[in-house]
Amino acid sequence: METVSTNRAHGGTQGVYKHASSATGTEMTFSVFVPDHTAGETLPVVWYLSGLTCTHANVTEKGEFREACARHRVIFVAPDTSPRGEGVPDDAEGAYDFGLGAGFYVDATEAPYAANYRMQSYIESELPALIGDQFPADMSRQSIMGHSMGGHGALTIALRNPDQFKAVSAFAPIVSPLNCPWGEKALSGYIGTDKAAWRAYDACALIQDGARLPDILVDQGTADNFLEGQLKPELLVETCKAAEQPLTLRMQEGYDHSYYFISTFMSDHLDWHAERLKA
Amino acid sequence: METVSTNRAHGGTQGVYKHASSATGTEMTFSVFVPDHTAGETLPVVWYLSGLTCTHANVTEKGEFREACARHRVIFVAPDTSPRGEGVPDDAEGAYDFGLGAGFYVDATEAPYAANYRMQSYIESELPALIGDQFPADMSRQSIMGHSMGGHGALTIALRNPDQFKAVSAFAPIVSPLNCPWGEKALSGYIGTDKAAWRAYDACALIQDGARLPDILVDQGTADNFLEGQLKPELLVETCKAAEQPLTLRMQEGYDHSYYFISTFMSDHLDWHAERLKA
């Protein structure tokens, strides 16, 4: 692991790091905020998964998470959203919703994506091992959140690994890739056309198939341009109701899909996570 | 005035606007955050002047000011740092510290800059009139802050107009253009080589020449790369001490010159301003 930069911020250290990933076969960059702590002390870890087009940098610069992380004394990790670099195959037409910046947190099985697009393994296994090794992290106390495609990532990763995360929340998540154009394009490209294989990457399908979490927090803006065509929170509401899966969905009047929305409710989410991350 | 964008954020509206400026002879872009308010109500105005290379966007995206502005119910205005556009003369070598992005909040008198580089008139007169006209602003309650070159702007504008601003603060300000390379380059280029004319644009010189404010708040990081060569807060300390000008200078251990530093202490500064902006 190599340090790209460190800056003192909000009584802690905001770092950016890169390393050679065995999961993706590429160099991967991520950011970590570590509040000040005493020698030997370890802190809980909150994962933040970003949306389409983003790198680690978007939330690191615009997310307004550091004040609450320092107050609650939790580490905040922001990975990239896809493998990158020469030789990594992109969308044939360079679209924003597939390929670079759009890994969808899956392990691809389809050529030519299967070699590099292994974000599931990267986020679930490789990067946690690195974080546990290189940072003062209490890996027995992790939680996960994300935005849009990253909200999909956070929900599906938590539903598949309920023992690994003490809390999960999302900002404007894609709740069902099986039922939206972004999901159909991405999963058919990465996983293939057998939709049975998609169910492990669909929050609603995972819940329908029996996965459960203690609770889920979702904020969704009513002025989000992607609300009706892509995000469809009503599918999650219906699924959770039928499955008796606890869900707190807050429709936020007038808010859109941007970091102006995310940064507004970030502190609320971190309060909610911190409560569930207590030792 | 034309609206470029509006986004709901932190219980208010973050807008970006542009207009044809008579002061600079160019189109100028600025951002305004307005907390929710009742019909007919007016709110105090905090001005934020940015540093070298910045536009309105840097603090708007990275400044973490909206939560405190909404809490205190104050409007936050972030102008650009220079005129821009075709025909606006830039530094001969395109350097970052003169010309575009480096207006230094002066009214230039030297050719070819005098036609457009009139940021003093723009910030002191033209833009306040527009804000008072177009936003629910109580222009009898204004305060001003800034970063680096914008800290210089905030201090000098407040010292020249003590009745216009109820509070002034700065993050890592240039305290004396007469005594640093940035200031020498900028003021000789914009104002000419007669250093007597520079004193109206030098916070230390203004205080030495009799200007006074009720108090001044300055935060300065100890790990700031520009601390010794350009910023020299000790000059402000000595000047204020000799003049019995109240000054609170806080040296912040390990902090640098970036928005990681600014965003950490933004809320403190807004608390301090809000206390002094009370009706």
Side-chain angles (χ1 to χ4, degrees):
Chain A
M1 187 182 85
E2 183 182 333
T3 299
V4 176
S5 64
T6 59
N7 297 83
R8 187 150 180 77
H10 285 284
T13 301
Q14 179 62 61
V16 177
Y17 309 90
K18 59 183 180 181
H19 69 121
S21 164
S22 58
T24 67
T26 65
E27 184 173 81
M28 293 292 285
T29 302
F30 59 95
S31 82
V32 182
F33 177 70
V34 181
D36 289 349
H37 56 282
T38 55
E41 186 186 20
T42 58
L43 305 179
V45 176
V46 178
W47 293 83
Y48 177 91
L49 304 184
S50 293
L52 290 166
T53 78
C54 289
T55 69
H56 71 282
N58 304 69
V59 72
T60 305
E61 296 178 356
K62 302 179 187 178
E64 304 193 14
F65 58 85
R66 281 174 287 270
E67 185 277 328
C69 287
R71 178 163 36 88
H72 292 303
R73 307 185 73 253
V74 298
I75 290 171
F76 190 96
V77 181
D80 202 347
T81 54
S82 78
R84 298 182 192 267
E86 280 190 43
V88 175
D90 196 5
D91 182 83
E93 279 135 31
Y96 75 95
D97 57 0
F98 189 77
L100 299 183
F104 265 83
Y105 307 101
V106 305
D107 278 354
T109 55
E110 296 293 291
Y113 304 103
N116 304 117
Y117 285 81
R118 298 182 57 79
M119 290 301 291
Q120 177 185 355
S121 294
Y122 180 69
I123 299 293
E124 288 186 359
S125 303
E126 184 180 16
L127 192 53
L130 185 70
I131 296 296
D133 188 54
Q134 298 283 327
F135 294 88
D138 176 356
M139 301 306 282
S140 73
R141 290 189 289 155
Q142 296 181 68
S143 69
I144 191 163
M145 62 168 70
H147 171 233
S148 194
M149 175 183 73
H152 146 75
L155 293 172
T156 55
I157 290 169
L159 285 161
R160 286 196 307 269
N161 302 279
D163 296 338
Q164 192 174 336
F165 300 99
K166 295 190 179 296
V168 58
S169 70
F171 305 94
I174 300 169
V175 304
S176 182
L178 278 158
N179 291 291
C180 72
W182 280 341
E184 295 206 5
K185 178 176 179 179
L187 294 195
S188 59
Y190 293 132
I191 308 297
T193 51
D194 175 11
K195 290 196 174 181
W198 297 18
R199 297 185 70 81
Y201 298 118
D202 184 296
C204 288
L206 283 161
I207 294 168
Q208 287 159 6
D209 294 348
R212 291 291 182 277
L213 293 167
D215 51 14
I216 298 171
L217 172 64
V218 173
D219 273 310
Q220 172 65 58
T222 64
D224 188 322
N225 285 336
F226 304 110
L227 178 56
E228 294 181 10
Q230 302 278 6
L231 304 174
K232 305 183 182 181
E234 66 278 8
L235 298 179
L236 185 63
V237 171
E238 293 160 13
T239 299
C240 288
K241 188 174 179 188
E244 298 183 4
Q245 163 64 51
L247 168 70
T248 301
L249 170 67
R250 309 190 304 186
M251 296 302 291
Q252 301 289 1
E253 186 67 28
Y255 285 85
D256 61 21
H257 202 64
S258 72
Y259 271 90
Y260 294 109
F261 159 64
I262 299 168
S263 63
T264 297
F265 300 104
M266 178 61 85
S267 181
D268 274 7
H269 281 235
L270 287 166
D271 291 351
W272 196 85
H273 283 242
E275 179 65 28
R276 288 157 179 79
L277 285 165
K278 283 178 182 166
Chain B
M1 188 182 86
E2 183 183 333
T3 300
V4 176
S5 63
T6 59
N7 298 82
R8 187 150 179 77
H10 286 284
T13 301
Q14 179 63 60
V16 177
Y17 309 90
K18 59 183 179 182
H19 70 122
S21 164
S22 58
T24 67
T26 65
E27 185 172 80
M28 294 291 286
T29 303
F30 60 95
S31 82
V32 182
F33 176 71
V34 181
D36 289 350
H37 56 282
T38 55
E41 186 186 20
T42 58
L43 305 179
V45 176
V46 178
W47 293 84
Y48 177 91
L49 304 184
S50 293
L52 290 166
T53 78
C54 290
T55 70
H56 70 282
N58 304 69
V59 72
T60 305
E61 297 178 355
K62 303 180 188 177
E64 303 193 16
F65 58 85
R66 280 175 287 270
E67 184 277 327
C69 287
R71 178 162 38 85
H72 292 303
R73 307 185 70 257
V74 297
I75 291 171
F76 189 95
V77 182
D80 202 348
T81 53
S82 79
R84 297 180 193 268
E86 279 190 44
V88 175
D90 196 5
D91 182 84
E93 279 134 31
Y96 74 97
D97 57 0
F98 189 77
L100 298 183
F104 264 83
Y105 306 101
V106 305
D107 278 355
T109 55
E110 296 293 292
Y113 304 103
N116 304 116
Y117 285 82
R118 298 181 58 78
M119 292 300 292
Q120 177 185 355
S121 294
Y122 180 70
I123 299 293
E124 288 186 359
S125 303
E126 185 179 16
L127 192 53
L130 185 71
I131 296 296
D133 188 54
Q134 298 283 328
F135 295 88
D138 178 355
M139 301 306 281
S140 73
R141 290 188 287 155
Q142 297 181 67
S143 68
I144 191 163
M145 61 169 70
H147 170 233
S148 194
M149 175 183 74
H152 147 74
L155 293 172
T156 54
I157 290 170
L159 285 162
R160 285 195 307 267
N161 302 279
D163 296 339
Q164 193 176 335
F165 301 99
K166 294 190 179 298
V168 58
S169 71
F171 304 94
I174 300 170
V175 303
S176 183
L178 279 158
N179 291 290
C180 71
W182 280 341
E184 296 207 5
K185 178 176 179 179
L187 294 195
S188 59
Y190 294 132
I191 308 298
T193 50
D194 174 10
K195 291 196 173 180
W198 297 19
R199 297 185 71 82
Y201 298 117
D202 184 297
C204 288
L206 282 161
I207 295 168
Q208 287 159 6
D209 294 347
R212 291 291 182 277
L213 293 167
D215 51 13
I216 298 171
L217 172 64
V218 173
D219 273 311
Q220 172 63 59
T222 64
D224 187 322
N225 285 335
F226 303 111
L227 178 55
E228 294 182 10
Q230 303 279 7
L231 304 174
K232 305 184 182 181
E234 67 278 7
L235 298 179
L236 185 63
V237 171
E238 292 160 12
T239 299
C240 288
K241 188 174 178 188
E244 297 185 4
Q245 163 63 51
L247 168 71
T248 301
L249 170 67
R250 309 190 304 186
M251 297 301 292
Q252 301 290 1
E253 186 67 27
Y255 285 85
D256 61 21
H257 202 64
S258 72
Y259 271 90
Y260 294 108
F261 158 65
I262 298 168
S263 63
T264 297
F265 299 104
M266 179 61 84
S267 181
D268 273 7
H269 281 234
L270 287 166
D271 291 351
W272 196 85
H273 283 242
E275 179 66 27
R276 287 157 180 79
L277 286 165
K278 282 179 182 165

Short mmCIF file of all heavy atoms in Angstrom, two decimals, chain A residues 59-96:
data_model
loop_
_atom_site.label_atom_id
_atom_site.label_comp_id
_atom_site.label_asym_id
_atom_site.label_seq_id
_atom_site.Cartn_x
_atom_site.Cartn_y
_atom_site.Cartn_z
N VAL A 59 -17.02 11.63 -2.50
CA VAL A 59 -17.48 11.72 -1.12
C VAL A 59 -16.40 12.30 -0.22
O VAL A 59 -16.69 13.00 0.75
CB VAL A 59 -17.97 10.35 -0.60
CG1 VAL A 59 -16.81 9.39 -0.35
CG2 VAL A 59 -18.80 10.53 0.67
N THR A 60 -15.14 12.04 -0.56
CA THR A 60 -14.05 12.54 0.27
C THR A 60 -14.05 14.06 0.29
O THR A 60 -13.79 14.69 1.32
CB THR A 60 -12.71 12.01 -0.25
OG1 THR A 60 -12.77 10.58 -0.32
CG2 THR A 60 -11.55 12.43 0.64
N GLU A 61 -14.37 14.68 -0.85
CA GLU A 61 -14.37 16.14 -0.94
C GLU A 61 -15.72 16.75 -0.55
O GLU A 61 -15.76 17.84 0.02
CB GLU A 61 -14.01 16.57 -2.37
CG GLU A 61 -12.59 16.16 -2.76
CD GLU A 61 -12.22 16.54 -4.18
OE1 GLU A 61 -13.10 17.06 -4.91
OE2 GLU A 61 -11.07 16.32 -4.57
N LYS A 62 -16.81 16.08 -0.91
CA LYS A 62 -18.13 16.71 -0.79
C LYS A 62 -19.06 16.06 0.24
O LYS A 62 -20.18 16.53 0.41
CB LYS A 62 -18.84 16.66 -2.15
CG LYS A 62 -18.10 17.32 -3.29
CD LYS A 62 -18.91 17.19 -4.59
CE LYS A 62 -18.13 17.68 -5.79
NZ LYS A 62 -18.90 17.50 -7.04
N GLY A 63 -18.64 14.99 0.87
CA GLY A 63 -19.57 14.18 1.67
C GLY A 63 -19.88 14.72 3.05
O GLY A 63 -20.85 14.29 3.67
N GLU A 64 -19.05 15.62 3.56
CA GLU A 64 -19.28 16.23 4.88
C GLU A 64 -19.47 15.16 5.97
O GLU A 64 -20.35 15.26 6.81
CB GLU A 64 -20.47 17.21 4.84
CG GLU A 64 -20.28 18.29 3.78
CD GLU A 64 -21.24 19.47 3.87
OE1 GLU A 64 -21.92 19.62 4.89
OE2 GLU A 64 -21.29 20.25 2.89
N PHE A 65 -18.60 14.15 5.93
CA PHE A 65 -18.70 13.05 6.90
C PHE A 65 -17.72 13.18 8.05
O PHE A 65 -17.88 12.52 9.08
CB PHE A 65 -18.48 11.70 6.20
CG PHE A 65 -17.15 11.59 5.49
CD1 PHE A 65 -16.01 11.18 6.17
CD2 PHE A 65 -17.04 11.89 4.14
CE1 PHE A 65 -14.79 11.09 5.51
CE2 PHE A 65 -15.82 11.80 3.48
CZ PHE A 65 -14.69 11.40 4.17
N ARG A 66 -16.68 13.98 7.89
CA ARG A 66 -15.59 13.94 8.87
C ARG A 66 -15.98 14.44 10.25
O ARG A 66 -15.54 13.88 11.27
CB ARG A 66 -14.36 14.70 8.34
CG ARG A 66 -13.56 13.89 7.33
CD ARG A 66 -12.44 14.70 6.71
NE ARG A 66 -12.95 15.66 5.77
CZ ARG A 66 -13.13 15.43 4.47
NH1 ARG A 66 -12.78 14.28 3.95
NH2 ARG A 66 -13.62 16.37 3.69
N GLU A 67 -16.79 15.48 10.33
CA GLU A 67 -17.17 16.00 11.65
C GLU A 67 -17.85 14.91 12.47
O GLU A 67 -17.50 14.68 13.63
CB GLU A 67 -18.07 17.23 11.48
CG GLU A 67 -18.42 17.93 12.79
CD GLU A 67 -19.59 17.28 13.54
OE1 GLU A 67 -20.49 16.74 12.87
OE2 GLU A 67 -19.58 17.29 14.77
N ALA A 68 -18.81 14.22 11.86
CA ALA A 68 -19.53 13.17 12.60
C ALA A 68 -18.64 11.97 12.88
O ALA A 68 -18.75 11.35 13.94
CB ALA A 68 -20.78 12.74 11.82
N CYS A 69 -17.77 11.62 11.94
CA CYS A 69 -16.85 10.49 12.18
C CYS A 69 -15.91 10.80 13.34
O CYS A 69 -15.62 9.92 14.16
CB CYS A 69 -16.05 10.17 10.92
SG CYS A 69 -17.02 9.37 9.63
N ALA A 70 -15.43 12.05 13.40
CA ALA A 70 -14.54 12.41 14.51
C ALA A 70 -15.30 12.41 15.83
O ALA A 70 -14.79 11.94 16.85
CB ALA A 70 -13.92 13.79 14.24
N ARG A 71 -16.54 12.91 15.78
CA ARG A 71 -17.36 12.96 16.99
C ARG A 71 -17.66 11.56 17.51
O ARG A 71 -17.60 11.30 18.72
CB ARG A 71 -18.65 13.73 16.67
CG ARG A 71 -19.64 13.86 17.77
CD ARG A 71 -20.68 14.97 17.52
NE ARG A 71 -21.10 15.13 16.14
CZ ARG A 71 -22.11 14.47 15.56
NH1 ARG A 71 -22.79 13.57 16.26
NH2 ARG A 71 -22.44 14.69 14.30
N HIS A 72 -17.97 10.64 16.59
CA HIS A 72 -18.28 9.27 17.00
C HIS A 72 -17.04 8.38 17.06
O HIS A 72 -17.15 7.22 17.48
CB HIS A 72 -19.28 8.65 16.02
CG HIS A 72 -20.64 9.27 16.05
ND1 HIS A 72 -21.39 9.33 17.20
CD2 HIS A 72 -21.38 9.87 15.08
CE1 HIS A 72 -22.55 9.92 16.93
NE2 HIS A 72 -22.57 10.26 15.66
N ARG A 73 -15.93 8.88 16.59
CA ARG A 73 -14.68 8.13 16.58
C ARG A 73 -14.83 6.82 15.79
O ARG A 73 -14.61 5.73 16.28
CB ARG A 73 -14.16 7.91 18.00
CG ARG A 73 -14.08 9.25 18.73
CD ARG A 73 -13.47 9.21 20.10
NE ARG A 73 -12.04 9.03 20.04
CZ ARG A 73 -11.45 7.89 20.36
NH1 ARG A 73 -12.15 6.86 20.78
NH2 ARG A 73 -10.15 7.79 20.27
N VAL A 74 -15.21 6.99 14.51
CA VAL A 74 -15.28 5.86 13.57
C VAL A 74 -14.42 6.17 12.34
O VAL A 74 -14.29 7.32 11.93
CB VAL A 74 -16.74 5.55 13.12
CG1 VAL A 74 -17.59 5.15 14.32
CG2 VAL A 74 -17.36 6.74 12.39
N ILE A 75 -13.84 5.12 11.79
CA ILE A 75 -13.05 5.21 10.56
C ILE A 75 -14.01 5.17 9.37
O ILE A 75 -15.01 4.44 9.39
CB ILE A 75 -12.05 4.04 10.51
CG1 ILE A 75 -10.95 4.24 11.57
CG2 ILE A 75 -11.43 3.90 9.11
CD1 ILE A 75 -10.04 3.03 11.75
N PHE A 76 -13.73 5.95 8.33
CA PHE A 76 -14.60 6.04 7.14
C PHE A 76 -13.77 5.66 5.92
O PHE A 76 -12.76 6.31 5.62
CB PHE A 76 -15.11 7.47 7.03
CG PHE A 76 -16.20 7.71 6.00
CD1 PHE A 76 -17.53 7.70 6.37
CD2 PHE A 76 -15.88 7.98 4.67
CE1 PHE A 76 -18.55 7.96 5.45
CE2 PHE A 76 -16.89 8.24 3.74
CZ PHE A 76 -18.22 8.23 4.13
N VAL A 77 -14.18 4.60 5.23
CA VAL A 77 -13.44 4.10 4.08
C VAL A 77 -14.27 4.30 2.81
O VAL A 77 -15.43 3.90 2.74
CB VAL A 77 -13.12 2.60 4.22
CG1 VAL A 77 -12.32 2.10 3.00
CG2 VAL A 77 -12.36 2.32 5.50
N ALA A 78 -13.66 4.92 1.79
CA ALA A 78 -14.35 5.18 0.52
C ALA A 78 -13.54 4.58 -0.63
O ALA A 78 -12.53 5.15 -1.04
CB ALA A 78 -14.52 6.68 0.30
N PRO A 79 -13.98 3.43 -1.15
CA PRO A 79 -13.27 2.80 -2.29
C PRO A 79 -13.69 3.44 -3.61
O PRO A 79 -14.63 4.24 -3.68
CB PRO A 79 -13.76 1.34 -2.24
CG PRO A 79 -14.56 1.19 -0.99
CD PRO A 79 -15.02 2.57 -0.62
N ASP A 80 -13.00 3.05 -4.67
CA ASP A 80 -13.39 3.42 -6.04
C ASP A 80 -14.59 2.56 -6.46
O ASP A 80 -14.98 1.62 -5.76
CB ASP A 80 -12.20 3.20 -6.97
CG ASP A 80 -12.30 4.04 -8.25
OD1 ASP A 80 -13.37 4.59 -8.54
OD2 ASP A 80 -11.28 4.11 -8.96
N THR A 81 -15.17 2.89 -7.61
CA THR A 81 -16.37 2.19 -8.07
C THR A 81 -16.11 1.17 -9.17
O THR A 81 -17.04 0.50 -9.62
CB THR A 81 -17.41 3.20 -8.61
OG1 THR A 81 -16.78 4.01 -9.61
CG2 THR A 81 -17.95 4.08 -7.50
N SER A 82 -14.87 1.05 -9.61
CA SER A 82 -14.53 0.06 -10.64
C SER A 82 -13.03 -0.06 -10.74
O SER A 82 -12.30 0.83 -10.26
CB SER A 82 -15.08 0.48 -12.02
OG SER A 82 -14.25 1.47 -12.60
N PRO A 83 -12.55 -1.13 -11.40
CA PRO A 83 -11.14 -1.14 -11.79
C PRO A 83 -10.91 -0.04 -12.82
O PRO A 83 -11.85 0.41 -13.49
CB PRO A 83 -10.96 -2.52 -12.40
CG PRO A 83 -12.32 -2.93 -12.86
CD PRO A 83 -13.27 -2.30 -11.89
N ARG A 84 -9.67 0.41 -12.92
CA ARG A 84 -9.32 1.44 -13.89
C ARG A 84 -7.91 1.17 -14.42
O ARG A 84 -7.14 0.47 -13.80
CB ARG A 84 -9.33 2.84 -13.24
CG ARG A 84 -10.70 3.23 -12.73
CD ARG A 84 -10.71 4.63 -12.12
NE ARG A 84 -11.96 4.84 -11.40
CZ ARG A 84 -13.06 5.41 -11.91
NH1 ARG A 84 -13.06 5.82 -13.17
NH2 ARG A 84 -14.14 5.57 -11.19
N GLY A 85 -7.60 1.77 -15.55
CA GLY A 85 -6.25 1.67 -16.09
C GLY A 85 -6.26 1.14 -17.52
O GLY A 85 -7.28 0.64 -18.01
N GLU A 86 -5.12 1.24 -18.16
CA GLU A 86 -4.99 0.71 -19.52
C GLU A 86 -5.28 -0.78 -19.52
O GLU A 86 -4.84 -1.51 -18.64
CB GLU A 86 -3.57 0.95 -20.03
CG GLU A 86 -3.35 2.36 -20.53
CD GLU A 86 -2.00 2.48 -21.25
OE1 GLU A 86 -1.67 1.58 -22.03
OE2 GLU A 86 -1.30 3.48 -20.99
N GLY A 87 -6.02 -1.21 -20.50
CA GLY A 87 -6.31 -2.63 -20.61
C GLY A 87 -7.59 -3.05 -19.92
O GLY A 87 -8.06 -4.16 -20.12
N VAL A 88 -8.15 -2.16 -19.06
CA VAL A 88 -9.43 -2.50 -18.43
C VAL A 88 -10.54 -2.18 -19.42
O VAL A 88 -10.68 -1.03 -19.85
CB VAL A 88 -9.63 -1.70 -17.12
CG1 VAL A 88 -11.01 -1.98 -16.54
CG2 VAL A 88 -8.55 -2.06 -16.12
N PRO A 89 -11.35 -3.18 -19.82
CA PRO A 89 -12.37 -2.91 -20.84
C PRO A 89 -13.45 -1.97 -20.31
O PRO A 89 -13.88 -2.08 -19.17
CB PRO A 89 -12.95 -4.30 -21.13
CG PRO A 89 -12.63 -5.13 -19.94
CD PRO A 89 -11.35 -4.59 -19.38
N ASP A 90 -13.85 -1.05 -21.17
CA ASP A 90 -14.89 -0.07 -20.81
C ASP A 90 -16.14 -0.38 -21.62
O ASP A 90 -16.15 -1.27 -22.49
CB ASP A 90 -14.37 1.34 -21.12
CG ASP A 90 -15.19 2.44 -20.45
OD1 ASP A 90 -16.10 2.13 -19.67
OD2 ASP A 90 -14.90 3.62 -20.73
N ASP A 91 -17.21 0.36 -21.34
CA ASP A 91 -18.41 0.31 -22.16
C ASP A 91 -18.04 0.56 -23.62
O ASP A 91 -17.19 1.41 -23.92
CB ASP A 91 -19.39 1.38 -21.68
CG ASP A 91 -20.70 1.37 -22.46
OD1 ASP A 91 -21.57 0.55 -22.11
OD2 ASP A 91 -20.83 2.14 -23.42
N ALA A 92 -18.68 -0.20 -24.52
CA ALA A 92 -18.33 -0.11 -25.95
C ALA A 92 -18.48 1.32 -26.46
O ALA A 92 -17.70 1.76 -27.33
CB ALA A 92 -19.21 -1.05 -26.76
N GLU A 93 -19.45 2.04 -25.95
CA GLU A 93 -19.65 3.42 -26.41
C GLU A 93 -19.21 4.45 -25.37
O GLU A 93 -19.51 5.64 -25.50
CB GLU A 93 -21.13 3.64 -26.75
CG GLU A 93 -21.49 3.10 -28.14
CD GLU A 93 -22.78 2.31 -28.14
OE1 GLU A 93 -23.67 2.64 -27.33
OE2 GLU A 93 -22.88 1.36 -28.94
N GLY A 94 -18.50 3.97 -24.35
CA GLY A 94 -18.02 4.90 -23.32
C GLY A 94 -19.12 5.49 -22.47
O GLY A 94 -18.94 6.56 -21.87
N ALA A 95 -20.27 4.82 -22.38
CA ALA A 95 -21.38 5.33 -21.56
C ALA A 95 -20.97 5.38 -20.09
O ALA A 95 -20.07 4.66 -19.65
CB ALA A 95 -22.61 4.45 -21.74
N TYR A 96 -21.68 6.24 -19.32
CA TYR A 96 -21.34 6.42 -17.90
C TYR A 96 -21.85 5.30 -17.03
O TYR A 96 -21.41 5.16 -15.89
CB TYR A 96 -21.92 7.76 -17.40
CG TYR A 96 -23.42 7.72 -17.16
CD1 TYR A 96 -23.94 7.46 -15.89
CD2 TYR A 96 -24.31 7.91 -18.21
CE1 TYR A 96 -25.31 7.40 -15.68
CE2 TYR A 96 -25.69 7.85 -18.00
CZ TYR A 96 -26.18 7.59 -16.75
OH TYR A 96 -27.53 7.52 -16.54
#
